[in-house]
Amino acid sequence: MESLSKETSTEEEFVRHEVEFSVIFRLQHWVRVLAITVLIISGFYLAYPMLSQVTTNEPTNFMYALFRSWHVIFGFVFISALIVKIYIFFFGKLEARERQSFRDVFSLNAWIRQIGYYLLLCKRPKLRGAYNPLQFAAYFLFYVLTTGLIITGLILYVHVYHEGLGGFLYEPMRAIEVMLGGLAVVRELHHIFMWGVILFIVTHLYLVSFNTIYMKEGAIDAIFSGLKWHKKHK
């Protein structure tokens, strides 16, 4: 049997693998997954404290402050990973297929064929890039939501940390706070954006699983190994 790194064939088709995601792409993806997980858990606690502090004789058990510190740390980890993602999207060599997906977004036919495929009414449409128009639109919405999360999060950040980066960002963040309608509105928007991200994650996991099952190209495996399998007829 030939190794997986080579082309294998049957009587009707060739099956070969291609590098779908670069190492830096996969790394920043899993860093964002970790950061989002910590941010959701710590964010829920900050909004609705559900854990009782351990009673001690020393006034040093600041659990709320601990959760807030983890929220802030992983908030900046997420921002850093997002900056890397934006950079490789525009300048990465392997990410050129992501950029090509932008064309299908403006094709009504591509939208109709893709929706028909998800409804099991037609065959899988041929894509110009890495993502179908529904995926690309969903990812675009995700980045809009995370941008809103970052901005509202930084506004809340400067109200607690007044030195260093907090002091540098204080004036511009306060100006945005005023435009949004005040700190109470900013908090509500931060929660709304978070729920939008959570809904995206659920939808993302469903669609990735759907593509993995019906396309049989290793869509889930690709984010671990970087490789995706493609069938080509003789």
Side-chain angles (χ1 to χ4, degrees):
M1 182 179 292
E2 297 181 357
S3 65
L4 294 181
S5 61
K6 299 179 180 180
E7 265 190 7
T8 60
S9 63
T10 65
E11 294 182 356
E12 297 181 353
E13 60 192 5
F14 287 101
V15 181
R16 64 186 179 84
H17 71 252
E18 293 179 352
V19 178
E20 185 79 4
F21 300 121
S22 62
V23 174
I24 188 65
F25 182 98
R26 285 175 278 148
L27 179 61
Q28 61 80 30
H29 173 272
W30 290 113
V31 168
R32 285 191 291 147
V33 169
L34 174 62
I36 290 174
T37 302
V38 175
L39 287 170
I40 290 175
I41 295 173
S42 58
F44 268 115
Y45 179 83
L46 295 177
Y48 311 101
M50 75 292 284
L51 299 176
S52 298
Q53 297 184 11
V54 178
T55 303
T56 65
N57 295 325
E58 299 295 330
T60 56
N61 186 16
F62 303 112
M63 185 176 293
Y64 194 89
L66 178 63
F67 272 83
R68 185 174 62 194
S69 65
W70 283 113
H71 197 75
V72 170
I73 291 170
F74 278 90
F76 283 108
V77 169
F78 178 80
I79 292 173
S80 302
L82 188 61
I83 292 173
V84 173
K85 175 64 178 76
I86 294 173
Y87 176 83
I88 63 176
F89 175 81
F90 286 104
F91 303 106
K93 183 178 180 180
L94 283 176
E95 285 68 33
R97 295 186 68 245
E98 285 192 275
R99 297 189 289 272
Q100 293 171 359
S101 304
F102 190 69
R103 300 178 182 179
D104 285 329
V105 175
F106 298 98
S107 171
L108 178 60
N109 186 42
W111 280 88
I112 293 174
R113 288 185 290 115
Q114 190 61 47
I115 294 174
Y117 173 70
Y118 280 137
L119 295 176
L120 305 179
L121 299 176
C122 59
K123 295 181 179 180
R124 174 195 174 191
K126 185 177 181 180
L127 303 175
R128 298 182 185 180
Y131 308 124
N132 65 61
L134 284 173
Q135 287 176 312
F136 195 92
Y139 289 140
F140 178 78
L141 177 60
F142 169 76
Y143 292 118
V144 171
L145 291 171
T146 51
T147 300
L149 267 175
I150 290 171
I151 293 174
T152 53
L154 288 175
I155 293 173
L156 298 174
Y157 169 79
V158 301
H159 277 277
V160 179
Y161 302 93
H162 306 294
E163 298 181 354
L165 182 61
F168 176 76
L169 295 175
Y170 185 80
E171 290 301 329
M173 290 299 106
R174 284 302 306 274
I176 298 175
E177 175 190 334
V178 172
M179 288 189 292
L180 292 177
L183 194 59
V185 176
V186 169
R187 291 185 184 277
E188 290 301 317
L189 288 175
H190 196 68
H191 295 164
I192 292 171
F193 290 139
M194 179 203 70
W195 279 108
V197 169
I198 292 174
L199 291 175
F200 167 83
I201 293 172
V202 174
T203 305
H204 175 63
L205 292 175
Y206 168 75
L207 292 179
V208 169
S209 300
F210 180 95
N211 290 334
T212 300
I213 293 170
Y214 285 95
M215 291 185 184
K216 302 184 186 303
E217 294 182 346
I220 293 179
D221 297 344
I223 201 61
F224 292 96
S225 66
L227 303 177
K228 198 170 183 179
W229 297 90
H230 298 276
K231 295 180 180 180
K232 289 195 174 183
H233 292 284
K234 285 185 178 181

